[in-house]
Amino acid sequence: MEPVIQTPSPYNRRIAMTPAPETLEPVLDFVAQTLEDWGVGMKRSNQIQLACDELYSNIVNYSGASNAAVALRKQETGIAVTFEDNGIAYDPTAQKDPDVTVSPEEREIGGLGIFLVKNFATFLGYRRENGKNLLTVTFE
Amino acid sequence: MSLSIQKNQNTLSLSGRLDTGTAPQLEKELSELLPTVDALTLDLEHLDYISSAGLRVILKAQKALTPKGGLTVAHVPEAVQEVFDITGFSDFLTIV
């Protein structure tokens, strides 16, 4: 099933899909195009795209979800991105940060993605509702 | 949204995006290349963007090459440098 794009209003766009590796590119294309249409600067756009790459990939790889959606909203204060999926309960904001001061030999691979998102985003909020994970990330 | 890899002796030049979708491509290239070289340079001048999947592949290469000649990263663009700085990768990568 192809991802479906909905535009409830000019500054509210949503892409819905069955999560799978081949949907990553269309999702990131959608995000990049939306940010460009909304005049978001390149540096901020890169950061938001990176967050979407990390968070949507997690949904694809780990959630077991059959349905998911990524929604973008342009607000007065910035951009809000919401990730929704019906997979297993998972709160990325509750994960421990990786220790970024240790040497490569001791480095763990996991956790870097969320760590980057936390660094770039102004706010991350998670809630579980009606069997869905809802994660909102804002970039001011 | 793609990655292109150009090889020139001990340098791999990356262009485009190193993200979750394209990282396996680099990983595959490196798995073939790493056993045959003592040192490697990644030229990132034309890399637009890197995400954690890309960092993982670079970390693997770093670990594989450190006992030999090492990994060098060159011409790092600002957006990529920012990611290296935040994640502490700039502390242990050889950046020129």
Side-chain angles (χ1 to χ4, degrees):
Chain A
M1 199 190 84
E2 285 284 304
V4 174
I5 294 176
Q6 301 147 331
T7 308
S9 68
Y11 290 126
N12 187 350
R13 291 194 199 170
R14 188 170 184 268
I15 186 168
M17 73 299 282
T18 301
E22 59 271 19
T23 60
L24 180 65
E25 198 174 310
V27 169
L28 294 184
D29 282 348
F30 162 77
V31 172
Q33 187 62 59
T34 300
L35 296 175
E36 189 183 317
D37 291 347
W38 290 348
V40 175
M42 180 139 136
K43 182 169 170 176
R44 211 36 160 161
S45 176
N46 261 4
Q47 292 173 347
I48 297 173
Q49 286 180 60
L50 186 144
C52 292
D53 182 349
E54 304 294 348
L55 296 169
Y56 184 64
S57 293
N58 281 350
I59 292 175
V60 168
N61 293 327
Y62 305 121
S63 70
S66 57
N67 281 311
V70 179
L72 284 98
R73 267 190 344 272
K74 184 173 199 272
Q75 303 170 307
E76 249 177 61
T77 49
I79 305 286
V81 189
T82 304
F83 299 84
E84 194 186 301
D85 74 84
N86 65 352
I88 58 168
Y90 174 70
D91 178 1
T93 66
Q95 306 309 308
K96 223 176 75 133
D97 284 345
D99 187 340
V100 294
T101 62
V102 300
S103 66
E105 288 69 38
E106 295 160 53
R107 272 300 187 111
E108 275 176 39
I109 303 287
L112 277 177
I114 298 289
F115 181 70
L116 283 168
V117 176
K118 284 186 188 175
N119 235 282
F120 290 141
T122 319
F123 167 80
L124 270 95
Y126 169 85
R127 64 182 200 283
R128 178 91 180 159
E129 211 172 86
N130 299 328
K132 286 191 183 169
N133 295 310
L134 292 159
L135 177 71
T136 299
V137 189
T138 60
F139 298 84
E140 282 172 15
Chain B
M1 302 273 165
S2 62
L3 176 73
S4 85
I5 304 172
Q6 272 176 312
K7 182 172 174 306
N8 186 1
Q9 302 196 311
N10 278 16
T11 298
L12 284 185
S13 298
L14 308 184
S15 306
R17 303 165 64 97
L18 187 51
D19 59 24
T20 308
T22 59
Q25 188 187 335
L26 179 61
E27 184 153 22
K28 179 166 186 286
E29 180 95 23
L30 286 172
S31 69
E32 289 162 15
L33 185 62
L34 287 175
T36 70
V37 297
D38 279 340
L40 182 68
T41 297
L42 292 178
D43 187 335
L44 306 184
E45 187 177 351
H46 299 291
L47 191 67
D48 296 326
Y49 153 124
I50 188 167
S51 70
S52 71
L55 293 178
R56 269 175 224 126
V57 177
I58 291 180
L59 181 62
K60 266 177 83 167
Q62 165 83 5
K63 288 187 177 185
L65 284 167
T66 301
K68 301 197 271 186
L71 175 73
T72 302
V73 179
H75 307 129
V76 185
E78 196 193 315
V80 176
Q81 184 65 51
E82 188 180 35
V83 171
F84 284 163
D85 289 342
I86 291 170
T87 55
F89 268 54
S90 12
D91 294 338
F92 59 76
L93 285 178
T94 305
I95 302 182
V96 301

